[in-house]
Amino acid sequence: MAEHPDRERLRTTFETVAERYDAARPTYPEALFDDLVELADLPAAGHVLEIGPGTGKASVALAGRGYSLLGVELGPQLAGVARANLAPFPKARIVLADFDEWEPLEPERGFDAVVAFTAFHWISPHLRYAKPARLLRKGGALAVVETKHVLPAGADPFWTDVQADYDAVVPHPDNSPPPPPEEVGDRREEIEASGLYRDVEVRRHLWDVEYDPDEYVAVLGTYSAHLALPEARRDELFARIQARIAAQGRVTKTYLATLNVARKP
């Protein structure tokens, strides 16, 4: 399904389904965090700034590793869920603010890492690289994780067949099955072109999540493009997809997380 062009409206849609988002969205693989820590060379008591933590899916993993975490979240409901999830970690806190406009209370302290998990694209383009660079200490790292549904060779034909439901309910020229993993790019060239970072490295992680009909529709109900649909069309689309999964029992979805890490000179 094609991404909706109304960026400013879509970036706040998750706020309406905060609890559902927290329950339905998958967590990231631990190996992804291992790579982030290695490539960013994070010190044991490092200070990490997270952009758009949502309900804290990645925040909990980082806080659980002992880092001092500060998350800047736009949505009050999302921030509330994140705070609850981070309650066991006294060195983690969430501030309610738009990262584009937010400034730290102690600007002289540079962060050891600025991280964004599936949220980097919501930052204004002119700030995406410049603002994290300003907030990092010398040698600190920017880590951007982007997640995409992909279709490896031999995957369930469901992901191709279900496009008929999208074409019937929300026809769009960009409706197409997920891409194969090898066709998904990274941010290396864009980061290097900014001139603000060095030592750009990229690592990729694939993992599978199995869903029954209700579980998968719950996940779909947390995606911005689906939330932006008129309710009647969204209900029809979800009913079709739910029935299609029920006919075969369960589906397995393959996720690709692309980790981009670069250092501030």
Side-chain angles (χ1 to χ4, degrees):
M1 182 176 179
E3 187 63 53
H4 199 282
D6 189 351
R7 172 183 173 275
E8 287 307 310
R9 179 165 61 93
L10 290 183
R11 71 197 289 252
T12 62
T13 53
F14 307 112
E15 177 68 2
T16 65
V17 292
E19 295 282 354
R20 194 189 317 163
Y21 183 104
D22 191 53
R25 288 290 185 107
T27 55
Y28 298 92
E30 279 298 311
L32 176 68
F33 297 102
D34 293 340
D35 281 354
L36 190 159
V37 170
E38 175 196 338
L39 296 178
D41 195 20
L42 273 176
H47 288 76
V48 177
L49 172 66
E50 184 179 4
I51 302 168
T55 62
K57 287 290 185 180
S59 317
V60 169
L62 291 168
R65 290 172 179 244
Y67 300 114
S68 294
L69 180 85
L70 174 62
V72 181
E73 174 52 50
L74 176 66
Q77 300 299 319
L78 292 167
V81 176
R83 286 172 180 143
N85 288 336
L86 289 166
F89 307 104
K91 294 195 294 182
R93 64 189 180 96
I94 301 293
V95 297
L96 184 62
D98 184 339
F99 178 77
D100 285 6
E101 302 171 1
W102 173 83
E103 291 295 336
L105 295 177
E106 300 178 8
E108 71 279 0
R109 170 185 280 181
F111 290 93
D112 296 300
V114 175
V115 304
F117 288 78
T118 321
F120 199 64
H121 59 290
W122 297 118
I123 305 170
S124 296
H126 69 286
L127 294 175
R128 280 180 193 159
Y129 297 110
K131 190 164 185 177
R134 176 165 58 82
L135 296 173
L136 285 166
R137 64 165 172 81
K138 183 177 180 179
L142 171 67
V144 177
V145 175
E146 296 180 317
T147 307
K148 193 169 186 65
H149 177 194
V150 293
L151 203 62
D156 189 336
F158 168 87
W159 302 110
T160 300
D161 297 343
V162 75
Q163 294 306 310
D165 298 320
Y166 284 98
D167 291 340
V169 182
V170 283
H172 192 283
D174 291 341
N175 284 351
S176 62
E182 60 271 18
E183 290 185 7
V184 177
D186 55 58
R187 288 190 176 265
R188 181 188 297 274
E189 290 187 7
E190 189 175 284
I191 295 171
E192 291 174 342
S194 75
L196 298 169
Y197 302 90
R198 61 174 173 82
D199 303 334
V200 183
E201 296 195 57
V202 177
R203 291 189 185 172
R204 295 151 65 90
H205 292 268
L206 288 167
W207 79 103
D208 291 337
V209 180
E210 191 176 82
Y211 296 101
D212 67 23
D214 292 339
E215 290 168 341
Y216 187 62
V217 167
V219 172
L220 289 182
T222 68
Y223 291 154
S224 56
H226 292 85
L227 289 168
L229 291 172
E231 183 177 0
R233 293 173 71 190
R234 184 172 63 244
D235 289 348
E236 180 184 353
L237 177 64
F238 286 3
R240 284 171 174 261
I241 294 173
Q242 193 168 28
R244 189 180 289 273
I245 298 173
Q248 67 180 55
R250 302 178 72 84
V251 292
T252 298
K253 182 173 182 177
T254 301
Y255 292 89
L256 168 66
T258 304
L259 169 65
N260 308 264
V261 179
R263 309 293 288 276
K264 178 179 176 177

